[in-house]
Amino acid sequence: MFRKFSSMVLFFLAVAALFAIFVHAEKGRADSPAASQPQTTDTKVVAYYFHVTARCTTCRTIDSYSRDVIERKFGADIAGNRLQYKLVNVQLPENRHFVKDYQLFTKSLVLVRFENGREAEHKVLNETWELVGDKSAMQGYVEREVRDYLKRLS
């Protein structure tokens, strides 16, 4: 019971911190089309893990589990540049727009499919927070979602 309560408290603290970042970012953001998307020129899937500077244990665990399953299960796709894994700190000025772009409310794993250098679609994998206590279940979820996005590449 206490563990579940403490997880909820951490979740709400993360939401509050991201909200504060979002509000602050909106005050100084320049609305340029180039700033609204990550830069890429390929057809590929990018798995972004969006985080803040101060990273809690749960945040680091989600990053670790996600990176591990992507590197283990999709090595050929990484080598062929069909898949990338990138960490992005949304507290850096140049990355703050991602909070709004992807409607992030906490640290998140987001899959983005690019076709000919343009974002075709994205999905925020919110279930990572629910599954982080079960490594196998969380990694299975990430693997299924990445596999689904890779199938959509033209």
Side-chain angles (χ1 to χ4, degrees):
M1 176 85 176
F2 177 75
R3 186 174 186 183
K4 193 170 198 167
F5 175 75
S6 62
S7 293
M8 288 179 61
V9 169
L10 285 173
F11 174 78
F12 287 111
L13 287 173
V15 169
L18 278 173
F19 179 76
I21 292 166
F22 176 75
V23 169
H24 180 71
E26 284 302 300
K27 290 180 181 176
R29 179 178 177 210
D31 287 320
S32 71
S36 66
Q37 290 187 6
Q39 297 298 310
T40 182
T41 58
D42 299 295
T43 297
K44 68 173 109 184
V45 173
V46 180
Y48 290 99
Y49 189 71
F50 295 105
H51 64 89
V52 294
T53 304
R55 298 174 66 200
C56 69
T57 302
T58 305
C59 173
R60 290 180 186 276
T61 301
I62 291 171
D63 172 27
S64 174
Y65 288 177
S66 299
R67 180 187 303 268
D68 175 62
V69 72
I70 287 170
E71 289 176 351
R72 275 188 306 107
K73 298 290 186 169
F74 302 100
D77 293 297
I78 292 169
N81 203 32
R82 289 174 31 94
L83 177 64
Q84 292 180 334
Y85 185 86
K86 295 184 177 184
L87 287 175
V88 179
N89 183 340
V90 294
Q91 282 186 299
L92 297 177
E94 65 270 21
N95 297 330
R96 289 180 180 154
H97 65 91
F98 289 118
V99 174
K100 184 176 180 185
D101 294 348
Y102 297 125
Q103 300 176 5
L104 304 175
F105 62 90
T106 190
K107 294 151 276 196
S108 302
L109 181 64
V110 178
L111 299 180
V112 182
R113 183 172 59 87
F114 292 94
E115 293 288 339
N116 301 315
R118 304 191 136 238
E119 182 178 327
E121 66 179 320
H122 72 272
K123 183 174 185 179
V124 180
L125 302 186
N126 288 322
E127 289 180 40
T128 56
W129 281 92
E130 297 169 25
L131 298 172
V132 71
D134 182 342
K135 181 178 181 179
S136 177
M138 195 200 114
Q139 288 187 323
Y141 167 64
V142 171
E143 181 182 355
R144 283 188 304 278
E145 295 295 337
V146 170
R147 203 168 294 287
D148 181 53
Y149 261 58
L150 286 170
K151 287 179 188 175
R152 299 176 193 192
L153 292 179
S154 57

